[in-house]
Amino acid sequence: MELRHLIYFQAVAEELNYRKAAERLFISQPGLSRQIKLLEEMLGVQLFERDKKHVELTTVGTFLKGEVDFIINHLESTKSQLKLIESGKVGELRIGFLGSASNRVLPDLLNRINYQQPMITTSLEELSNSVQVEMIQKDKLDLGFVRLASVPVDLEMKPVLRDSFSLVIPKDHPIDQRNFESVSQFEDELFILFSSDYSNYYYEQIMSICRDSGFSPKIRHKSVHALTIFRLVENGLGVAIVPTSLKDGYDLNVRFMEIPGIPQFTELSVIWKPENRNPALKRVLPLV
């Protein structure tokens, strides 16, 4: 078996179309079919169900795709690390994060890296919780900053910031910090919330804050981006509940009011994969 067999398989598994996969690989379609057939013979399994109109992965093929994605990504990552090391760098640290991490936690970490590990470069990507978990498992990210109750057993998680919740309302709203006592004062308002796709656990916490105040929120809009939520609030389309730390870094016509007397809180956690062999990760973990 050669690496090209895995690259051919990956292309067909992603396209689920032999013609498109062949065009992507710059080889003939009959040649690609022969290579896939050869791979199946070498492995002794059937990787695709194929008829004149459809191509689908078998159960075995689906499993192999996950493994091949990991192998090829690891090779690409190794090539990038080699170039960095040759230029005098330790390597690159790939960091995923939620928007709320960019206000306090992430800048602090980057300052520490710049000061204590100046030979490490970083690449940053704002991603949802679920995408970060998946990419760290596949070695496409080294560190992630998430809001989750738990992660798969092959990952480690450590809380880095405990945060309260705040209401976000338009600046001209009649309720302000002087007369704000409970979320129940807003039971007749429309709510703009982070989508459950952002974090189901986090979404349920916000719902429980409302339930504890004796009402179910009238949800008008959902988003995975804080700025979108704040813009909607600014334009009078509803109120929102967000982590208090999100009030930093925005200059908008909204008011943040920390919700008093509630048991709910939110934690921002860092996650990583202990089996990750990136030398930059091992140097940065103590800084976290």
Side-chain angles (χ1 to χ4, degrees), residues 128-141:
S128 69
N129 289 306
S130 58
V131 171
Q132 288 187 64
V133 168
E134 180 182 352
M135 290 181 70
I136 288 177
Q137 286 182 306
K138 292 182 176 179
D139 281 355
K140 293 184 177 181
L141 283 180

Side-chain angles (χ1 to χ4, degrees), residues 163-177:
D163 206 354
S164 60
F165 284 102
S166 284
L167 264 165
V168 188
I169 60 176
K171 271 193 176 177
D172 59 359
H173 198 285
I175 297 177
D176 58 25
Q177 203 68 57

Side-chain angles (χ1 to χ4, degrees), residues 92-98 101 105-106 109-110 113 120-129 131-137 139-146 155-158 160 269-274 276 278 280-288:
E92 180 182 59
L93 189 75
R94 300 158 300 175
I95 302 174
F97 65 95
L98 298 174
V105 173
L106 197 53
L109 175 61
L110 295 178
I113 292 172
I120 292 176
T121 62
T122 58
S123 67
L124 310 172
E125 193 169 0
E126 185 173 351
L127 301 164
S128 69
N129 289 306
V131 171
Q132 288 187 64
V133 168
E134 180 182 352
M135 290 181 70
I136 288 177
Q137 286 182 306
D139 281 355
K140 293 184 177 181
L141 283 180
D142 303 303
L143 276 182
F145 289 92
V146 300
L155 302 185
E156 290 285 341
M157 181 167 72
K158 178 180 180 180
V160 293
S269 297
V270 63
I271 60 173
W272 71 95
K273 182 177 167 182
N276 186 319
N278 184 350
L281 176 62
K282 293 176 173 60
R283 294 192 181 211
V284 168
L285 278 176
L287 306 183
V288 178

Side-chain angles (χ1 to χ4, degrees), residues 74-264:
H74 188 69
L75 287 172
E76 290 301 317
S77 174
T78 300
K79 286 163 60 178
S80 298
Q81 296 286 4
L82 289 173
K83 290 177 182 177
L84 288 166
I85 292 168
E86 185 180 41
S87 68
K89 299 286 186 181
V90 170
E92 180 182 59
L93 189 75
R94 300 158 300 175
I95 302 174
F97 65 95
L98 298 174
S100 53
S102 64
N103 288 343
R104 290 165 59 180
V105 173
L106 197 53
D108 183 51
L109 175 61
L110 295 178
N111 281 328
R112 291 178 185 219
I113 292 172
N114 290 341
Y115 180 70
Q116 299 186 42
Q117 296 289 346
M119 304 309 291
I120 292 176
T121 62
T122 58
S123 67
L124 310 172
E125 193 169 0
E126 185 173 351
L127 301 164
S128 69
N129 289 306
S130 58
V131 171
Q132 288 187 64
V133 168
E134 180 182 352
M135 290 181 70
I136 288 177
Q137 286 182 306
K138 292 182 176 179
D139 281 355
K140 293 184 177 181
L141 283 180
D142 303 303
L143 276 182
F145 289 92
V146 300
R147 294 184 188 276
L148 291 171
S150 61
V151 291
V153 294
D154 58 334
L155 302 185
E156 290 285 341
M157 181 167 72
K158 178 180 180 180
V160 293
L161 177 68
R162 181 165 171 159
D163 206 354
S164 60
F165 284 102
S166 284
L167 264 165
V168 188
I169 60 176
K171 271 193 176 177
D172 59 359
H173 198 285
I175 297 177
D176 58 25
Q177 203 68 57
R178 293 169 299 177
N179 56 10
F180 175 46
E181 298 177 357
S182 168
V183 177
S184 61
Q185 292 170 269
F186 295 84
E187 63 177 311
D188 295 326
E189 301 269 4
L190 299 175
F191 275 77
I192 305 161
L193 300 182
F194 278 108
S195 169
S196 56
D197 295 336
Y198 174 87
S199 169
N200 190 60
Y201 172 69
Y202 174 73
Y203 180 82
E204 285 302 321
Q205 279 185 299
I206 294 176
M207 296 298 288
S208 71
I209 291 172
C210 296
R211 285 195 295 267
D212 290 350
S213 295
F215 71 98
S216 293
K218 302 181 184 73
I219 303 170
R220 173 58 61 87
H221 303 287
K222 297 179 185 178
S223 177
V224 295
H225 297 294
L227 181 58
T228 300
I229 290 175
F230 298 159
R231 287 292 188 194
L232 294 175
V233 173
E234 183 182 48
N235 285 280
L237 296 173
V239 301
I241 297 177
V242 302
T244 299
S245 61
L246 277 176
K247 69 181 180 181
D248 300 322
Y250 297 96
D251 184 19
L252 300 168
N253 288 317
V254 297
R255 184 185 301 136
F256 287 80
M257 300 191 302
E258 188 170 353
I259 302 173
I262 61 172
Q264 291 87 352

